[in-house]
């Protein structure tokens, strides 16, 4: 039995609707996700950035109350609109305690989290600590959807600063492999050619970073020459 297969419907949580929002600021393009529980008319937003009007419009159209802001990590293009949204909707901002410690990020609504699941009405959010891109990066499993930030992309994985970080990334990708199902849909913070929402079975076949069997080879490949933050400009 997969670790993500739990015993009772109540423990599994609700299968939500995921609204994909492509937002941009100059050359930086991010994917935000509004995760909707239609039964309780509630929603949460993942990594909101760049376009407050668009996000507010999506919340309004969904006819839900925003109940929280989930942050995968502390880079500016992922938390840009967390504070104004949390303030307006009077809801928490969740980020890992490790990421808060390394970034110094602060907000009145900020709630440090560990891997204890968070329940928002019938919506179960399972945080997975996945260091590598940053030391406190988290992915979030909600229903059969993984919100993977800059840890796992459809065709790649997030940049790592050094060998130690790359080793952590290798372990984090293995943790994801062990946790998700073949049918889990992957929703990353950025994309290259393929669209967010692909099933993990397809990602597993096509993503070279999921093919390594030891952390040394993985780190050598992840840290190869020519891989730097200029890569951001290839996201679309
Ligand atoms: Fe990042």
């Amino acid at each position: 039995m997969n670790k993500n297969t739990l015993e009772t419907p109540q423990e599994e949580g609700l299968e939500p609707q995921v609204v994909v929002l492509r937002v941009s600021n100059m050359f930086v393009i991010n994917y935000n996700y509004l995760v909707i529980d239609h039964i309780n008319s509630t929603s949460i937003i993942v990594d909101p950035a760049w376009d407050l009007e668009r996000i507010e419009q999506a919340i309004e159209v969904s006819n839900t109350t925003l109940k929280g802001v989930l942050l995968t990590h502390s880079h500016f293009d992922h938390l840009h609109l967390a504070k104004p949204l949390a303030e307006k909707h009077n809801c928490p901002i969740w980020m890992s305690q490790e990421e808060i410690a390394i970034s110094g990020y602060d907000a009145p609504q900020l709630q440090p989290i560990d891997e204890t699941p968070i329940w928002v009405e019938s919506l179960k959010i399972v945080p997975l600590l996945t260091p590598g891109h940053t030391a406190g990066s988290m992915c979030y499993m909600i229903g059969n959807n993984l919100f993977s930030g800059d840890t796992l992309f459809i065709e790649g994985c997030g940049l790592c600063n050094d060998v130690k970080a790359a080793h952590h990334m290798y372990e984090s990708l293995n943790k994801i492999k062990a946790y998700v199902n073949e049918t889990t849909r992957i929703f990353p913070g950025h994309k290259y050619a393929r669209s967010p929402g692909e099933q993990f079975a397809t990602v597993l076949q096509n993503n070279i970073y999921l093919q390594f069997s030891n952390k040394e080879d993985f780190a050598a490949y992840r840290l190869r020459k020519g891989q730097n933050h200029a890569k951001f400009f290839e996201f679309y």
Side-chain angles (χ1 to χ4, degrees), residues 107-169:
Q109 301 84 2
L110 184 60
Q111 292 184 7
I113 56 170
D114 54 21
E115 291 188 314
T116 306
I118 302 164
W119 283 92
V120 178
E121 305 282 353
S122 306
L123 220 50
K124 184 185 186 185
I125 303 164
V126 181
L128 300 175
L129 189 61
T130 51
H133 179 63
T134 64
S137 283
M138 270 187 161
C139 295
Y140 299 102
M141 191 80 176
I142 309 177
N144 199 23
N145 309 286
L146 184 77
F147 299 91
S148 56
D150 287 0
T151 296
L152 175 64
F153 301 130
I154 302 294
E155 305 102 327
C157 75
L159 292 164
C160 300
N161 285 334
D162 53 29
V163 172
K164 187 179 166 196
H167 288 172
H168 285 153
M169 176 65 87

Side-chain angles (χ1 to χ4, degrees), residues 30 72-78 99 133-134 137 149-151 153 158-159 190 229 232:
N30 288 69
T72 59
H73 63 295
S74 61
H75 287 166
F76 187 65
D77 60 317
H78 293 257
E99 192 73 358
H133 179 63
T134 64
S137 283
D150 287 0
T151 296
F153 301 130
L159 292 164
H190 306 276
H229 283 81
F232 261 128

Side-chain angles (χ1 to χ4, degrees), residues 51-67:
D51 195 336
L52 189 58
E53 197 178 326
R54 178 109 186 274
I55 293 167
E56 291 287 12
Q57 190 182 39
I59 296 166
E60 195 178 321
V61 167
S62 74
N63 205 19
T64 61
T65 303
L66 189 73
K67 289 287 188 178

Side-chain angles (χ1 to χ4, degrees), residues 28-45:
V28 182
I29 298 168
N30 288 69
Y31 281 79
N32 296 179
Y33 302 103
L34 186 69
V35 185
I36 299 171
D37 166 1
H38 282 294
I39 292 175
N40 296 292
S41 300
T42 57
S43 57
I44 59 111
I45 185 99

